[in-house]
């Protein structure tokens, strides 16, 4: 039995004559934070979309906890235990924290009112409070509208919503994070960084796309670099440094797999 939560083997993605991904092999283990780095156009977003079921690869294989999967839609990936936290957060600003955490899994009231679709807001607030405590997250009151939160608090709510959907009794799932700190200041970035690390410590596999190299070095266990649709580096974060990462990102440093490509 493999301890890899998510594996991609030989994944290609073609848009007509354009090859956005070229033979990508990636694996992320349970409880690991994998940093996915690369310049604009390197293929990071495309790869996230393949992982999340938004795009179907032209070729290649996807495995979740060792079982081969075919995703026809993001709903298929969600059913397999994969959650995507988008850069725009996809929160409902006018609704409170508890409602945002419960989107798609609302608790209905008992009896006729539940049959008519009335939501039990008190029960949702209790569940949301318990889930945030389990994650070790402290934010505003569950009744506070999201539009009244700071950027860091909003990002934490979005991360927590994804995290609560990948926890289960048998094994924890996979969380895909697209630039979670792009619009945040230093203190807010530290808050998000701590939450990502805490999720990994609780067994969640995280794939983190970021342009923030200090963040990647601080929070990631392993880093994969893409350049023009190809994987050019895959290395433990403790065994590399910023200058090497910049070299792989820009193409100034040779690919770690140059001999394989030549063959």
């Amino acid at each position: 039995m493999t301890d890899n939560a998510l594996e991609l083997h030989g994944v290609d993605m073609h848009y007509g004559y354009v090859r956005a991904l070229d033979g990508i092999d990636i694996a992320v283990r349970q409880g690991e934070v994998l940093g996915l780095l690369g310049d604009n156009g390197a293929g990071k977003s495309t790869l996230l979309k393949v992982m999340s079921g938004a795009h179907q690869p032209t070729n290649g294989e996807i495995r979740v906890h060792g079982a081969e999967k075919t995703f026809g839609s993001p709903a298929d990936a969600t059913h397999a235990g994969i959650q995507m936290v988008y850069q725009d957060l996809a929160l409902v600003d006018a609704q409170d924290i508890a409602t945002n955490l419960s989107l798609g899994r609302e608790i209905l009231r008992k009896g006729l009112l539940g049959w008519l679709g009335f939501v039990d807001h008190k029960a949702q607030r209790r569940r949301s409070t318990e889930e945030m405590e389990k994650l070790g997250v402290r934010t505003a009151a569950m009744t506070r509208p999201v539009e009244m939160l700071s950027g860091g608090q909003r990002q934490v709510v979005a991360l927590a919503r994804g995290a609560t959907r990948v926890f289960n009794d048998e094994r924890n799932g996979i969380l895909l994070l697209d630039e979670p700190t792009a619009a945040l200041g230093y203190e807010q970035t530290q808050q998000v960084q701590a939450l990502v690390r805490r999720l990994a410590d609780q067994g969640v596999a995280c794939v983190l796309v970021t342009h923030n190299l200090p963040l990647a070095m601080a929070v990631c266990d392993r880093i994969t670099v893409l350049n023009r649709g190809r994987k050019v580096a895959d290395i433990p974060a403790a065994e590399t440094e910023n200058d090497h990462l910049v070299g792989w990102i820009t193409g100034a440093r040779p690919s770690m797999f140059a001999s394989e490509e030549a063959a």
Side-chain angles (χ1 to χ4, degrees):
M1 176 67 71
T2 178
D3 64 349
N4 288 331
L6 177 66
E7 301 171 63
L8 276 66
H9 300 288
V11 167
D12 295 333
M13 189 73 203
H14 300 171
Y15 297 104
Y17 293 105
V18 177
R19 178 172 285 187
L21 298 174
D22 186 0
I24 299 296
D25 294 322
I26 280 182
V28 55
R29 295 188 297 275
Q30 208 71 54
E32 179 181 49
V33 181
L34 174 68
L36 190 58
L37 308 184
D39 207 350
N40 293 331
K44 306 184 304 299
S45 295
T46 301
L47 189 56
L48 273 191
K49 289 174 181 176
V50 169
M51 293 176 177
S52 66
H55 286 176
Q56 289 72 54
T58 307
N59 297 298
E61 179 183 270
I62 300 173
R63 288 184 173 273
V64 180
H65 299 297
E68 186 173 354
K69 299 290 183 179
T70 299
F71 300 147
S73 69
D76 293 338
T78 297
H79 184 70
I82 298 174
Q83 282 289 322
M84 176 80 172
V85 180
Y86 293 95
Q87 191 171 347
D88 63 4
L89 304 185
L91 298 174
V92 182
D93 287 348
Q95 296 293 341
D96 62 26
I97 294 173
T99 299
N100 273 275
L101 290 173
S102 301
L103 288 175
R105 56 191 190 105
E106 290 81 2
I107 300 176
L108 299 181
R109 297 180 67 174
K110 295 179 180 179
L112 178 61
L113 291 178
W115 185 79
L116 292 173
F118 283 81
V119 173
D120 189 336
H121 292 287
K122 288 185 178 179
Q124 286 191 168
R125 287 195 289 271
R126 285 195 299 270
R127 182 182 66 182
S128 297
T129 299
E130 291 170 359
E131 290 174 341
M132 296 290 264
E133 288 177 351
K134 180 180 178 182
L135 294 174
V137 174
R138 290 186 178 182
T139 184
M142 290 294 117
T143 54
R144 180 168 296 182
V146 165
E147 63 191 356
M148 295 179 64
L149 302 179
S150 68
Q153 288 174 320
R154 289 165 58 87
Q155 185 61 261
V156 165
V157 170
L159 285 173
R161 186 177 64 185
T164 56
R165 286 159 169 74
V166 298
F167 281 118
N168 60 55
D169 294 334
E170 297 179 2
R171 56 163 65 100
N172 293 323
I174 301 105
L175 202 57
L176 310 178
L177 310 174
D178 184 14
E179 296 285 0
T181 64
L184 303 183
Y186 176 78
E187 289 186 5
Q188 295 173 328
T189 295
Q190 293 296 108
Q191 184 180 16
V192 171
Q193 174 182 316
L195 177 54
V196 172
R197 194 64 257 171
R198 199 152 51 235
L199 290 172
D201 291 342
Q202 293 185 31
V204 175
C206 300
V207 179
L208 170 67
V209 168
T210 183
H211 284 91
N212 187 331
L213 296 189
L215 171 68
M217 293 295 287
V219 76
C220 295
D221 300 294
R222 194 160 47 86
I223 293 175
T224 294
V225 181
L226 300 184
N227 188 301
R228 290 181 290 181
R230 290 188 174 185
K231 185 174 75 169
V232 296
D234 192 338
I235 189 168
E239 297 178 12
T240 188
E241 56 189 52
N242 276 15
D243 288 348
H244 291 172
L245 294 176
V246 171
W248 282 313
I249 291 169
T250 61
R253 188 176 180 85
S255 167
M256 292 177 65
F257 314 105
S259 59
E260 298 176 15
E261 294 169 3

